[in-house]
Amino acid sequence: MHITMKKRFLSLLALTLFLPAFAACAPYDYSDRLSEVRSDLFVAETEDFTLQLSCLEREYPYADDGVPCPMSKTLQVELVPVVKPDGDVEIYIGDGGTGGEASYRTAYGDYTFSVGTDVFPQESVSLRVEYGGKTHTIAATSVRTAETLTPAEALAKGVEAERETLDNMRKEGVFCGELCVRLLKRDKNYYYFAVTDGTRRVALLMDGETGEVLARREDSLRS
């Protein structure tokens, strides 16, 4: 009986000594260092304009300072006209018709409208656009496919590719930076991954299905 108890004690002691070492080797969870995530895009097109609705979680105020702040969910619509219409452009999202007047951005030649939300749409979303004296009722569909990486998977791919960069942004063992993951749609789906500590930013363009790094850019943020 004494021998059995001694074995149990030694086993417990070994486990206790092993746990800190295991914890030290466990991968760091960077999800709490995110300052922006664009998880989905919904697109639609008419003869008068193209439209993109983004599902965003973003910190406020937004700044590339290396310090993530609490994020909130936002639906952001960007409408690109074929020809700039006379008068205002109004955008209403969903069956409830949440919306209002869109703002024109001279630098981009588009109209934007944003509204806070608790839940992001799935697969498709209906919109009503008051444009050039006409009313357009359209359905925007998600660009995501079964093969598209989730934001969490894209984050993991980016972290894996920039392991040395993230390690160099540690101070006394603590990661001092913030990350951004955005789904993009061009000829196919891509992900934009970026990490910054407030002094420099490293950005990757990744394949939206495999996570393969297609392009890399590093910028200094010092003035």
Side-chain angles (χ1 to χ4, degrees):
M1 182 70 175
H2 176 71
I3 294 176
T4 301
M5 291 182 63
K6 185 176 181 180
K7 287 183 178 179
R8 289 179 178 175
F9 172 76
L10 291 174
S11 297
L12 180 61
L13 178 62
L15 179 61
T16 303
L17 293 174
F18 173 74
L19 284 175
F22 176 78
C25 296
Y28 187 91
D29 182 8
Y30 289 94
S31 60
D32 63 348
R33 304 299 298 183
L34 286 164
S35 60
E36 180 180 354
V37 178
R38 182 159 68 194
S39 55
D40 207 346
L41 292 169
F42 295 78
V43 295
E45 183 175 358
T46 73
E47 62 181 10
D48 294 319
F49 58 81
T50 58
L51 179 148
Q52 175 179 283
L53 181 147
S54 302
C55 296
L56 292 172
E57 289 186 80
R58 203 178 197 193
E59 70 174 0
Y60 183 83
Y62 186 79
D64 275 337
D65 55 6
V67 181
C69 296
M71 297 192 295
S72 58
K73 292 183 177 180
T74 301
L75 297 176
Q76 179 175 301
V77 181
E78 298 169 1
L79 183 150
V80 180
V82 174
V83 178
K84 189 174 183 294
D86 295 329
D88 299 329
V89 172
E90 297 180 19
I91 300 172
Y92 298 89
I93 305 170
D95 296 333
T98 301
E101 183 178 335
S103 300
Y104 182 69
R105 299 190 297 184
T106 304
Y108 297 95
D110 65 2
Y111 292 85
T112 66
F113 176 81
S114 299
V115 63
T117 186
D118 294 324
V119 180
F120 289 139
Q122 302 290 326
E123 297 183 358
S124 68
V125 57
S126 61
L127 298 105
R128 189 176 85 252
V129 179
E130 304 291 339
Y131 179 96
K134 296 189 295 184
T135 298
H136 298 262
T137 301
I138 57 176
T141 56
S142 171
V143 303
R144 297 190 62 87
T145 68
E147 290 74 30
T148 304
L149 295 175
T150 66
E153 291 170 335
L155 172 64
K157 293 287 187 181
V159 167
E160 180 182 356
E162 290 297 321
R163 178 68 62 186
E164 183 177 350
T165 299
L166 273 65
D167 286 345
N168 290 336
M169 291 182 178
R170 287 176 175 268
K171 296 179 181 178
E172 298 181 356
V174 178
F175 175 66
C176 298
E178 61 182 336
L179 301 110
C180 167
V181 175
R182 297 180 193 147
L183 180 64
L184 305 175
K185 176 65 177 180
R186 299 295 184 266
D187 57 315
K188 57 181 290 185
N189 287 344
Y190 299 92
Y191 267 102
Y192 170 87
F193 168 91
V195 55
T196 178
D197 62 357
T199 63
R200 66 175 179 138
R201 181 198 302 114
V202 175
L204 306 177
L205 178 66
M206 304 188 302
D207 185 284
E209 295 183 0
T210 67
E212 177 187 359
V213 176
L214 305 174
R216 183 182 189 274
R217 177 172 175 172
E218 184 167 348
D219 297 299
S220 173
L221 302 179
R222 297 182 185 275
S223 57

